[in-house]
Amino acid sequence: MDDYKFLFKVVLVGNAGVGKTCLVRRFTQGLFPPGQGATIGVDFMIKTVEVEGEKVKLQIWDTAGQERFRSITQSYYRSAHALILVYDISCQPTFDCLPDWLREIEEYASSKVLRILVGNKIDRDDREIPTHVGEDFAARHNMYFLETSAKEADNVEKLFMQIAEDLMEQARSKDLPRYDTSTANIDSRTSTIGDSSCCSKLI
Amino acid sequence: MEEQEMSKFVTQQAYIDGKIKALSKMIPQLKIIHKDAESLVTTINHISESSEKISGKIRELDTAREKVEECQKRVSDLIDLELCSQGVQKAIYDEDYEQGAALVHRFLSIDQSVVKQTASDFEKVAGLEDAAQKNLQTALNTPAGDKRYPVIYADTLTLLYEGVARMVNVHQPLIETYYGPGKLIAAMNILQKECDNQTRRIVSEFCKTRNMNKKMSQINEISRMSSSSSFSKLEKTDPKDLDVLIGEMTLMHSKIELYIKFVRSKVMTDLDVGISDLDERSKNVDKLEQLIKNSQVSQSKHELLGYYLRMEQYYMEESITKAVNLDTAEQGQHTSSMVDDTFFIIRKCIRRSISSGSLDGICAIINNACRVLESDFCNILRSKLKQGYPSGYLDLTQAYNVLQSSIQQGRLQPGDTEVARTAFVVALNNADSCTYYVEALCDRVMLEIEQAMPAMKENDRGKLESCLSGLSSVTATLKDVIEYGLQQLRASAIKPRVHPWIDSFMNINHEMTEDELSAYDAGETFVQTLIMNLESLLVPFKEVLTPSNYDSLVGVVTNEVISRFEKIVFKTTFNRLGGLVLDKEVRSLAGYLTTSTSWSLRDKFARLTQIATVLNLEKVSEISDYWGDHDGALMWRLTPSELRNVMALRLVLERAPNIKFIRVCI
């Protein structure tokens, strides 16, 4: 069953208890497991989706939010194609920590990584962070933004599908140019060296 | 009569009206009653529920009472025991043997195992604490010179867990007999608390004695100072100094892991045997998982793993930096010491992570290794290749010029050429041999992990494989580096030399007569000179490059020769004999280059061979033997217009009247 055209690694990060595991479970298994204990280390799930008739395999890494697992979770940033930074819209501290998370992403992740900010738990009526505040933050830091509810399955499918589509587009458009630019570099270098040898031949 | 009835009705009407009024008054009352009745029903339901609850409680109480009774019996047995032993002593003292024998008989009638159990229940937890205290004390008092000193905390943990395990093993049958199967988890709960306390103590002693906090903050400080590249640190803790400590941490971690595995398997088997109800069992399994997850032992485990990973990462990065700085290339070796050293370090770190017994730990180390190799290590190789290969001297003037310009650009010092060349070649070889090392590393690691963790879950395996696949992206980056190096080589060492050699083709007249042909054949032909020159270009590389790099180089040279040759051929005109010479020369050139490598390069010559074939035709019309859809036709690499141009090279001379026929043909 391993016939897929693209494989993307998606890593979820954010404070403990913001619902990362629930988002992943909702997307991969279609269920909302209440009373989930804290994630230990990292969890790993796979879901193959179809985008424009192509099979796209999403490898989803669900990281532990707790500080003591940081040295495990940090090691996964580098190879991520997309990073989902999650906060809880009913919990101000999880939003306040976002700059710390961004610093960490800056330090460990590739600069090309697709970054998405997600405000989770919109099913709750004790909202503390208004939508526009999240939006502003995301816009300031050049991230996509989406509010979701893993419990009500709101926007969860949309979140991951959007990521799959974007990454596929990125892969399609970047693949050739990236190769081209590297050869172009070599070529330009070659031509300069070629010129000098040409001159010396004249002498 | 009728009137009478009428008046009767009238009087009745009043009566009925009254009744109806009374009835309608009663309706709300009825409603109330209905409501009351409903609430009565719910109340009764409540009562029945609570009575059921109560009866459940009573049942629990019953079991509790039974236990209390058992306990009382045990106590009275114990008292009996005491009395017996006192009595026996007294009887012996009084020489009243009959009385003594009776007492001994009574002692024997007391259930022996109950007595034993009571005794051990008391000892159990208390004993654990004492033993652990003592062990920790021994650990603290171990002199620094002791052989076990470097791993003394791991040893202490081992002793603690062995103690707990022994206790569980000894008491499990007793618990099963007296409390019933499936109760081990309750006992474990009690035991775990003490075990947690002791573990916390040992780990905190470990952190204190081994200066963990200071070391960790030092490492964090260093990596913060130069987070951009791990290869340019200022002041450092020697990674070697951490070696022993890292070893101890992995050992401690693996001991904890083992202990948790032991507890899980013990309790699970007990539950499997003891509880047949699936719901009840899974509830208990959840309880067990919670117990393990929330235990201090698990917390300490994660804490240790966190420390370990940070230190191992530091160790890996620093050791590799050291290996790179101490890089030496020995005469006669294709590669330099940093490749062997780097992969030795990476293998060592991964191995150590395997010994910790944590899959997450292994994955994190593999991820870190990928990062170090792909960014830091490859960048070093690339920057060495960026210096370029100082081009060879075509003649003295040129050599002088090249040198002059290089010096002006500050690229190298005069006399450094040889050094710079060697450095370049070694870097190229290093990149190539790294690709093999990476592959071998991948296979070995997988094998070793499978041996260390035979019962890996499907999901865990997926995790691991995904992390290992990161190593293959390292290979891709290495291939890029090699390609980059070869292009550098092409630009500086190949192109400037190959072009003039090929260009000399133009100096030879290819519209020759028979006499000229034999004269040409007798002398040194173009291709002989070319092959000799190519040989002189390639031979020095053959010795210094790895086989696969050499093959790639021959490939690059071939491409260069062919593309230049093609261009030159189009600038030359041929007659039949000239075409014959070209055909022969292309064949021998292809033959020479193909034998120079282990891959076949003949395919690259396809176009050139076809050009030669066309120029070597006896009659122009023969082209139809090769062109078209029939059996003898060739797979043409030339486009029709190219083919026409090639033919023109000869047709110009021969002015064939049937050129139009050819046009039609193609």
Side-chain angles (χ1 to χ4, degrees), chain A residues 9 35-45 59 61 68-69 71-72 74-76 78-79 107-108 179 186-187 189-191 193-194 197 200-201 203, chain B residues 227 293 298-299 302 305-306 309-310 360 363-364 367-368 370-371 374 386 397-398 401 411 459 462-463 466-467 469 484 487-488 490-492 495-496 500:
Chain A
K9 290 189 183 179
Q36 189 79 33
T39 307
I40 306 264
V42 277
D43 246 349
F44 165 81
M45 304 252 177
Q59 225 178 50
W61 296 86
R68 64 193 151 115
F69 297 110
S71 41
I72 294 175
Q74 279 164 355
S75 77
Y76 287 90
R78 194 187 59 95
S79 58
E107 187 174 350
Y108 296 100
Y179 187 72
I186 290 165
D187 277 344
R189 195 176 161 74
T190 315
S191 65
I193 294 171
S197 70
S200 41
K201 203 163 55 190
I203 305 166
Chain B
S227 57
K293 208 170 179 178
S298 295
Q299 305 265 330
H302 300 145
L305 188 64
L309 289 175
R310 283 297 293 128
D360 271 340
C363 287
N367 289 341
N368 286 340
C370 290
R371 180 179 55 75
E374 204 179 334
K386 205 173 175 183
T397 346
Q398 193 176 5
N401 282 325
R411 278 226 307 252
N459 198 34
K463 218 172 178 178
S466 168
C467 291
S469 75
Y484 174 73
Q487 289 307 326
Q488 288 280 54
R490 183 179 81 93
S492 57
K495 209 171 151 191

Coordinates of all heavy atoms in Angstrom, one line a residue, chain A residues 9 35-45 59 61 68-69 71-72 74-76 78-79 107-108 179 186-187 189-191 193-194 197 200-201 203, chain B residues 227 293 298-299 302 305-306 309-310 360 363-364 367-368 370-371 374 386 397-398 401 411 459 462-463 466-467 469 484 487-488 490-492 495-496 500:
Chain A
K9 N 6.4 15.4 6.2 CA 6.5 15.3 7.6 C 5.8 16.6 8.3 O 6.2 17.7 7.9 CB 7.9 15.2 8.1 CG 8.5 13.9 7.8 CD 9.9 13.7 8.5 CE 10.5 12.5 8.0 NZ 11.8 12.3 8.7
G35 N -10.0 12.6 28.2 CA -9.2 12.2 29.3 C -7.9 11.6 28.9 O -7.3 10.7 29.5
Q36 N -7.4 12.1 27.8 CA -6.1 11.6 27.3 C -5.0 12.0 28.2 O -4.9 13.2 28.6 CB -5.9 12.3 25.9 CG -4.7 11.8 25.1 CD -5.0 10.5 24.5 OE1 -6.2 10.2 24.1 NE2 -4.1 9.6 24.4
G37 N -4.1 11.1 28.5 CA -2.9 11.5 29.4 C -1.9 12.3 28.5 O -2.1 12.4 27.3
A38 N -1.0 12.9 29.2 CA 0.0 13.7 28.5 C 0.8 12.7 27.6 O 1.1 11.6 27.9 CB 1.0 14.3 29.5
T39 N 1.2 13.2 26.4 CA 2.0 12.5 25.5 C 3.4 12.3 26.1 O 4.0 13.2 26.7 CB 2.1 13.2 24.2 OG1 0.8 13.5 23.7 CG2 2.8 12.3 23.1
I40 N 4.0 11.1 25.9 CA 5.4 10.8 26.3 C 6.2 10.9 25.1 O 6.0 10.2 24.1 CB 5.5 9.4 26.9 CG1 4.4 9.2 28.0 CG2 6.9 9.1 27.3 CD1 4.9 9.5 29.4
G41 N 7.2 11.7 25.1 CA 8.2 11.8 24.0 C 7.5 12.3 22.7 O 7.0 13.4 22.6
V42 N 7.5 11.4 21.7 CA 6.7 11.8 20.5 C 5.9 10.6 20.0 O 6.2 9.5 20.2 CB 7.7 12.1 19.3 CG1 8.1 13.5 19.3 CG2 8.8 11.2 19.2
D43 N 4.8 10.9 19.4 CA 3.9 9.9 18.8 C 3.9 10.1 17.3 O 4.2 11.2 16.8 CB 2.5 10.1 19.3 CG 2.0 8.9 20.2 OD1 2.8 7.9 20.2 OD2 1.0 9.0 20.8
F44 N 3.6 9.0 16.7 CA 3.8 9.0 15.2 C 2.6 8.4 14.5 O 2.2 7.3 14.9 CB 5.1 8.2 15.0 CG 5.3 7.7 13.6 CD1 5.9 8.6 12.7 CD2 5.1 6.4 13.2 CE1 6.2 8.1 11.4 CE2 5.3 6.0 12.0 CZ 5.9 6.8 11.1
M45 N 2.0 9.1 13.6 CA 0.9 8.6 12.9 C 1.0 8.9 11.4 O 1.7 9.8 11.0 CB -0.4 9.3 13.4 CG -0.6 9.3 14.8 SD -2.0 8.2 15.2 CE -2.0 8.2 16.9
Q59 N 3.1 12.2 7.3 CA 3.6 11.6 8.5 C 3.5 12.6 9.6 O 4.1 13.6 9.5 CB 5.1 11.3 8.2 CG 5.6 10.0 8.6 CD 7.0 9.8 8.2 OE1 7.9 10.6 8.5 NE2 7.3 8.7 7.6
W61 N 3.9 13.9 13.3 CA 4.6 13.7 14.6 C 4.0 14.6 15.7 O 4.0 15.8 15.6 CB 6.1 14.1 14.4 CG 6.8 13.2 13.4 CD1 6.8 13.4 12.1 CD2 7.5 12.0 13.7 NE1 7.6 12.4 11.5 CE2 8.0 11.5 12.5 CE3 7.8 11.3 14.9 CZ2 8.8 10.4 12.4 CZ3 8.6 10.2 14.8 CH2 9.1 9.7 13.6
R68 N 10.2 18.6 29.9 CA 11.2 17.6 30.1 C 11.4 16.8 28.9 O 12.4 16.0 28.8 CB 10.9 16.8 31.3 CG 9.7 15.9 31.2 CD 9.4 15.4 32.6 NE 7.9 15.2 32.7 CZ 7.4 14.0 32.9 NH1 8.1 12.9 32.9 NH2 6.1 13.9 32.9
F69 N 10.5 16.9 27.9 CA 10.7 16.1 26.7 C 11.4 16.9 25.5 O 11.4 16.5 24.4 CB 9.4 15.5 26.2 CG 8.8 14.5 27.1 CD1 7.7 14.8 27.8 CD2 9.5 13.3 27.4 CE1 7.2 13.9 28.7 CE2 8.9 12.4 28.3 CZ 7.8 12.7 29.0
S71 N 14.3 17.9 24.7 CA 15.4 17.4 23.9 C 15.1 16.3 22.9 O 15.8 16.1 21.9 CB 16.6 17.0 24.7 OG 16.2 16.3 25.9
I72 N 14.0 15.6 23.2 CA 13.5 14.7 22.2 C 12.8 15.4 21.1 O 13.1 15.2 19.9 CB 12.5 13.6 22.8 CG1 13.3 12.8 23.8 CG2 11.9 12.7 21.7 CD1 12.4 11.8 24.6
Q74 N 12.8 18.5 20.0 CA 13.6 19.4 19.2 C 14.2 18.7 18.0 O 14.4 19.3 17.0 CB 14.6 20.1 20.1 CG 14.1 21.2 20.9 CD 15.1 21.6 22.0 OE1 16.1 20.9 22.2 NE2 14.8 22.7 22.7
S75 N 14.6 17.4 18.2 CA 15.3 16.8 17.2 C 14.5 16.5 16.0 O 15.0 16.1 14.9 CB 15.9 15.5 17.7 OG 14.9 14.5 17.8
Y76 N 13.1 16.7 16.1 CA 12.3 16.4 14.9 C 12.0 17.7 14.1 O 11.4 17.5 13.0 CB 10.9 15.8 15.4 CG 11.1 14.4 15.9 CD1 11.4 14.1 17.2 CD2 11.0 13.4 15.0 CE1 11.6 12.8 17.6 CE2 11.2 12.1 15.4 CZ 11.5 11.8 16.7 OH 11.7 10.5 17.1
R78 N 14.0 19.7 12.4 CA 14.8 19.9 11.3 C 14.2 19.3 10.0 O 14.2 19.9 8.9 CB 16.2 19.4 11.5 CG 17.2 19.9 10.5 CD 18.5 19.2 10.7 NE 18.3 17.7 10.6 CZ 18.5 17.1 9.4 NH1 18.9 17.7 8.4 NH2 18.3 15.8 9.4
S79 N 13.7 18.1 10.2 CA 13.3 17.4 9.0 C 11.8 17.6 8.7 O 11.2 17.1 7.7 CB 13.5 15.9 9.1 OG 12.8 15.4 10.3
E107 N 15.4 28.3 15.8 CA 16.7 27.8 16.1 C 16.9 26.4 15.4 O 17.9 26.1 14.9 CB 16.9 27.7 17.6 CG 18.3 27.2 17.9 CD 18.5 27.3 19.4 OE1 17.7 27.8 20.2 OE2 19.6 26.7 19.8
Y108 N 15.8 25.6 15.5 CA 16.0 24.2 15.1 C 15.4 23.8 13.7 O 15.9 22.9 13.1 CB 15.4 23.2 16.1 CG 16.1 23.3 17.4 CD1 15.6 24.1 18.5 CD2 17.3 22.7 17.6 CE1 16.2 24.2 19.7 CE2 18.0 22.8 18.9 CZ 17.4 23.5 19.9 OH 18.1 23.6 21.1
Y179 N 16.7 22.6 -8.3 CA 17.8 21.9 -9.0 C 18.5 22.9 -9.9 O 19.7 22.9 -10.0 CB 17.2 20.7 -9.7 CG 18.2 19.8 -10.3 CD1 19.0 19.0 -9.5 CD2 18.4 19.8 -11.7 CE1 20.0 18.2 -10.1 CE2 19.4 19.0 -12.2 CZ 20.2 18.2 -11.4 OH 21.2 17.5 -12.0
I186 N 26.8 26.7 -10.4 CA 28.0 26.0 -10.9 C 28.3 26.6 -12.2 O 29.5 26.9 -12.5 CB 27.8 24.5 -10.9 CG1 27.7 24.0 -9.5 CG2 28.9 23.9 -11.6 CD1 27.2 22.6 -9.4
D187 N 27.3 26.8 -13.1 CA 27.5 27.2 -14.4 C 28.2 28.6 -14.4 O 29.1 28.9 -15.1 CB 26.3 27.3 -15.2 CG 25.9 25.9 -15.8 OD1 26.9 25.1 -15.8 OD2 24.8 25.7 -16.2
R189 N 29.9 29.9 -12.2 CA 31.3 29.8 -11.7 C 32.2 29.3 -12.9 O 33.2 29.8 -13.1 CB 31.3 28.8 -10.6 CG 32.6 28.9 -9.8 CD 32.6 28.1 -8.6 NE 34.0 27.9 -8.3 CZ 34.8 28.9 -7.7 NH1 34.2 30.0 -7.4 NH2 36.0 28.7 -7.4
T190 N 31.6 28.3 -13.5 CA 32.4 27.6 -14.6 C 32.7 28.7 -15.7 O 33.8 28.7 -16.1 CB 31.5 26.6 -15.3 OG1 30.9 25.8 -14.3 CG2 32.3 25.7 -16.2
S191 N 31.7 29.5 -16.0 CA 32.0 30.4 -17.1 C 33.1 31.4 -16.7 O 33.9 31.8 -17.5 CB 30.7 31.2 -17.5 OG 30.3 32.0 -16.4
I193 N 35.6 30.9 -14.7 CA 36.9 30.2 -14.8 C 37.2 30.0 -16.3 O 38.4 30.2 -16.7 CB 36.8 28.8 -14.1 CG1 36.6 29.1 -12.6 CG2 38.1 28.0 -14.3 CD1 36.3 27.9 -11.8
G194 N 36.2 29.6 -17.0 CA 36.4 29.4 -18.5 C 37.0 30.6 -19.1 O 38.0 30.5 -19.9
S197 N 40.7 31.1 -18.4 CA 41.6 30.1 -19.1 C 41.6 30.5 -20.6 O 42.6 30.3 -21.3 CB 41.1 28.7 -18.9 OG 39.9 28.5 -19.6
S200 N 44.2 33.1 -21.0 CA 45.5 32.6 -20.9 C 45.9 31.9 -22.2 O 47.1 31.8 -22.5 CB 45.7 31.8 -19.7 OG 44.6 30.9 -19.5
K201 N 44.9 31.3 -22.8 CA 45.2 30.6 -24.0 C 45.7 31.6 -25.1 O 46.6 31.3 -25.9 CB 44.0 29.9 -24.5 CG 44.3 28.7 -25.4 CD 43.1 27.8 -25.6 CE 41.9 28.5 -26.0 NZ 40.7 27.7 -26.0
I203 N 47.5 34.2 -24.7 CA 48.9 34.5 -24.4 C 49.7 33.3 -24.7 O 50.3 32.9 -25.6 CB 49.1 34.8 -23.0 CG1 48.2 35.9 -22.5 CG2 50.6 35.2 -22.7 CD1 48.1 36.1 -21.0
Chain B
S227 N 24.8 29.0 18.2 CA 23.8 28.1 17.7 C 23.8 27.9 16.2 O 23.2 27.0 15.7 CB 22.4 28.5 18.2 OG 22.2 29.8 17.8
K293 N 2.8 5.6 34.7 CA 3.0 6.9 34.1 C 3.2 8.0 35.1 O 4.1 8.8 35.0 CB 1.8 7.2 33.3 CG 2.0 8.1 32.1 CD 0.7 8.2 31.3 CE 0.9 9.1 30.1 NZ -0.3 9.1 29.2
S298 N 9.1 6.9 36.5 CA 8.9 7.4 35.2 C 9.5 8.8 35.0 O 10.1 9.1 34.0 CB 7.5 7.3 34.7 OG 7.1 6.0 34.6
Q299 N 9.1 9.6 36.0 CA 9.6 11.0 35.9 C 11.1 11.1 35.9 O 11.7 11.8 35.1 CB 9.1 11.8 37.2 CG 7.6 11.7 37.4 CD 6.9 12.9 36.8 OE1 7.5 14.0 36.7 NE2 5.7 12.8 36.4
H302 N 12.4 10.1 32.5 CA 12.4 11.1 31.5 C 13.4 12.2 31.8 O 14.1 12.7 30.9 CB 11.0 11.8 31.5 CG 9.9 10.8 31.1 ND1 8.7 10.8 31.7 CD2 10.0 9.7 30.4 CE1 8.0 9.8 31.2 NE2 8.7 9.1 30.4
L305 N 16.7 10.9 30.7 CA 16.8 10.8 29.2 C 17.1 12.2 28.7 O 17.9 12.4 27.8 CB 15.5 10.3 28.7 CG 15.5 10.0 27.2 CD1 16.6 8.9 26.9 CD2 14.2 9.5 26.7
G306 N 16.4 13.2 29.2 CA 16.6 14.6 28.8 C 18.0 15.0 29.0 O 18.7 15.5 28.0
L309 N 20.3 13.1 26.5 CA 20.2 13.5 25.1 C 21.0 14.8 24.8 O 21.7 15.0 23.9 CB 18.8 13.7 24.6 CG 18.0 12.4 24.5 CD1 16.5 12.7 24.1 CD2 18.6 11.6 23.4
R310 N 20.8 15.8 25.8 CA 21.6 17.0 25.6 C 23.1 16.8 25.6 O 23.8 17.3 24.8 CB 21.2 18.0 26.8 CG 19.9 18.7 26.6 CD 19.8 19.6 25.4 NE 20.7 20.8 25.5 CZ 21.6 21.1 24.5 NH1 21.7 20.4 23.4 NH2 22.3 22.2 24.6
D360 N 12.6 6.4 21.9 CA 12.6 7.9 21.7 C 14.0 8.5 21.7 O 14.3 9.3 20.9 CB 11.7 8.6 22.7 CG 10.2 8.7 22.2 OD1 10.0 8.5 21.0 OD2 9.4 8.8 23.1
C363 N 15.8 7.5 18.5 CA 15.4 8.3 17.4 C 15.9 9.7 17.5 O 16.4 10.2 16.5 CB 13.8 8.4 17.4 SG 13.1 6.8 16.9
A364 N 16.0 10.3 18.7 CA 16.5 11.6 18.8 C 17.9 11.7 18.4 O 18.4 12.6 17.8 CB 16.2 12.1 20.2
N367 N 18.3 11.5 14.7 CA 17.9 12.8 14.1 C 19.1 13.7 14.3 O 19.4 14.5 13.3 CB 16.7 13.4 14.8 CG 15.4 12.6 14.5 OD1 15.4 11.9 13.5 ND2 14.4 12.8 15.3
N368 N 19.7 13.8 15.5 CA 20.8 14.7 15.7 C 22.0 14.4 14.8 O 22.6 15.2 14.2 CB 21.3 14.6 17.1 CG 20.3 15.3 18.1 OD1 19.5 16.1 17.6 ND2 20.3 15.0 19.4
C370 N 21.8 12.9 11.9 CA 21.5 13.4 10.5 C 21.8 14.9 10.4 O 22.3 15.3 9.4 CB 20.0 13.1 10.2 SG 19.6 11.4 10.1
R371 N 21.4 15.6 11.4 CA 21.6 17.1 11.3 C 23.1 17.4 11.2 O 23.5 18.2 10.4 CB 21.0 17.8 12.5 CG 21.1 19.3 12.5 CD 20.5 19.9 13.7 NE 21.0 19.3 15.0 CZ 22.2 19.6 15.5 NH1 23.0 20.4 14.8 NH2 22.6 19.1 16.6
E374 N 24.4 16.2 7.8 CA 23.9 16.9 6.6 C 24.2 18.4 6.6 O 24.6 18.9 5.5 CB 22.4 16.7 6.6 CG 21.8 16.8 5.2 CD 20.3 16.7 5.1 OE1 19.8 16.0 6.0 OE2 19.7 17.2 4.2
K386 N 35.2 24.1 -2.4 CA 35.0 25.4 -3.0 C 36.3 26.1 -3.3 O 36.4 26.9 -4.2 CB 34.2 26.3 -1.9 CG 33.4 27.4 -2.6 CD 32.6 28.1 -1.5 CE 31.9 29.3 -2.1 NZ 31.2 30.0 -1.1
T397 N 53.9 29.4 -19.3 CA 53.3 30.7 -19.2 C 52.0 30.6 -18.5 O 51.6 31.4 -17.7 CB 53.1 31.3 -20.6 OG1 53.8 30.5 -21.6 CG2 53.4 32.7 -20.7
Q398 N 51.2 29.6 -19.0 CA 49.9 29.5 -18.4 C 49.9 29.2 -16.9 O 49.2 29.8 -16.1 CB 49.1 28.4 -19.2 CG 47.6 28.5 -18.8 CD 46.8 27.6 -19.6 OE1 47.3 26.8 -20.3 NE2 45.5 27.7 -19.4
N401 N 50.6 32.2 -15.2 CA 49.4 33.1 -15.1 C 48.4 32.6 -14.1 O 47.8 33.4 -13.4 CB 48.7 33.2 -16.5 CG 49.5 34.1 -17.4 OD1 50.1 35.1 -16.9 ND2 49.6 33.8 -18.6
R411 N 43.8 33.2 -3.2 CA 43.3 31.8 -3.0 C 44.4 30.8 -2.5 O 44.2 29.9 -1.8 CB 42.8 31.3 -4.3 CG 41.3 31.7 -4.6 CD 40.5 30.6 -5.1 NE 41.1 29.9 -6.2 CZ 40.6 30.0 -7.5 NH1 39.5 30.7 -7.7 NH2 41.1 29.4 -8.5
N459 N 4.2 0.5 15.3 CA 4.3 1.9 15.2 C 5.7 2.4 15.5 O 6.2 3.3 14.9 CB 3.3 2.5 16.2 CG 3.0 3.9 15.9 OD1 2.9 4.4 14.8 ND2 2.8 4.7 17.0
G462 N 7.9 2.0 12.6 CA 7.6 3.0 11.7 C 8.4 4.3 12.0 O 9.0 5.0 11.2
K463 N 8.3 4.6 13.3 CA 9.0 5.8 13.9 C 10.5 5.7 13.5 O 11.1 6.6 13.0 CB 8.8 5.8 15.4 CG 8.6 7.1 16.0 CD 8.2 6.7 17.5 CE 8.0 7.7 18.4 NZ 7.6 7.3 19.7
S466 N 11.4 5.9 9.9 CA 11.3 7.3 9.4 C 12.6 8.0 9.8 O 13.1 8.8 9.0 CB 10.1 7.9 10.0 OG 10.1 9.3 9.7
C467 N 13.0 7.9 11.0 CA 14.2 8.6 11.5 C 15.4 8.1 10.7 O 16.3 8.9 10.3 CB 14.4 8.4 13.0 SG 13.2 9.2 14.0
S469 N 15.5 7.0 7.7 CA 15.4 7.5 6.4 C 16.0 8.9 6.3 O 16.4 9.3 5.2 CB 14.0 7.5 5.9 OG 13.3 8.6 6.4
Y484 N 29.2 18.8 -7.1 CA 29.7 20.1 -7.0 C 31.3 20.0 -7.2 O 31.8 20.8 -8.0 CB 29.4 20.7 -5.6 CG 30.0 22.1 -5.4 CD1 29.6 23.2 -6.0 CD2 31.1 22.2 -4.5 CE1 30.2 24.4 -5.8 CE2 31.7 23.4 -4.3 CZ 31.2 24.5 -4.9 OH 31.8 25.7 -4.7
Q487 N 32.2 19.3 -10.8 CA 32.0 20.4 -11.7 C 33.2 21.4 -11.5 O 33.7 22.0 -12.5 CB 30.7 21.1 -11.4 CG 29.5 20.3 -11.8 CD 29.6 19.9 -13.3 OE1 30.1 20.6 -14.1 NE2 29.0 18.7 -13.6
Q488 N 33.6 21.5 -10.2 CA 34.8 22.3 -10.0 C 36.0 21.8 -10.8 O 36.8 22.6 -11.4 CB 35.2 22.3 -8.5 CG 34.2 23.1 -7.6 CD 34.5 24.5 -7.6 OE1 34.6 25.1 -8.7 NE2 34.7 25.1 -6.5
R490 N 36.0 19.9 -13.4 CA 35.7 20.0 -14.8 C 36.2 21.4 -15.2 O 36.9 21.6 -16.2 CB 34.3 19.8 -15.1 CG 33.9 19.9 -16.6 CD 32.4 19.7 -16.8 NE 31.7 20.9 -16.6 CZ 31.3 21.7 -17.5 NH1 31.7 21.5 -18.7 NH2 30.7 22.8 -17.2
A491 N 35.8 22.4 -14.5 CA 36.0 23.8 -14.9 C 37.5 24.1 -14.8 O 38.0 24.8 -15.7 CB 35.3 24.7 -13.9
S492 N 38.2 23.6 -13.8 CA 39.6 24.0 -13.7 C 40.6 23.1 -14.3 O 41.6 23.5 -14.8 CB 39.9 24.3 -12.2 OG 39.7 23.1 -11.5
K495 N 38.3 21.0 -18.6 CA 37.9 21.8 -19.8 C 39.1 22.6 -20.4 O 39.3 22.4 -21.6 CB 36.8 22.8 -19.3 CG 35.9 23.2 -20.5 CD 34.8 24.0 -19.9 CE 34.2 24.9 -21.0 NZ 33.3 25.9 -20.4
P496 N 39.9 23.3 -19.6 CA 41.0 24.0 -20.3 C 42.0 23.2 -21.0 O 42.7 23.6 -21.9 CB 41.6 24.8 -19.1 CG 40.8 24.5 -17.9 CD 39.9 23.4 -18.2
P500 N 41.9 22.3 -26.1 CA 42.9 22.5 -27.1 C 43.3 21.2 -27.8 O 43.6 21.1 -29.0 CB 44.1 23.0 -26.4 CG 43.6 23.4 -25.0 CD 42.3 22.8 -24.8

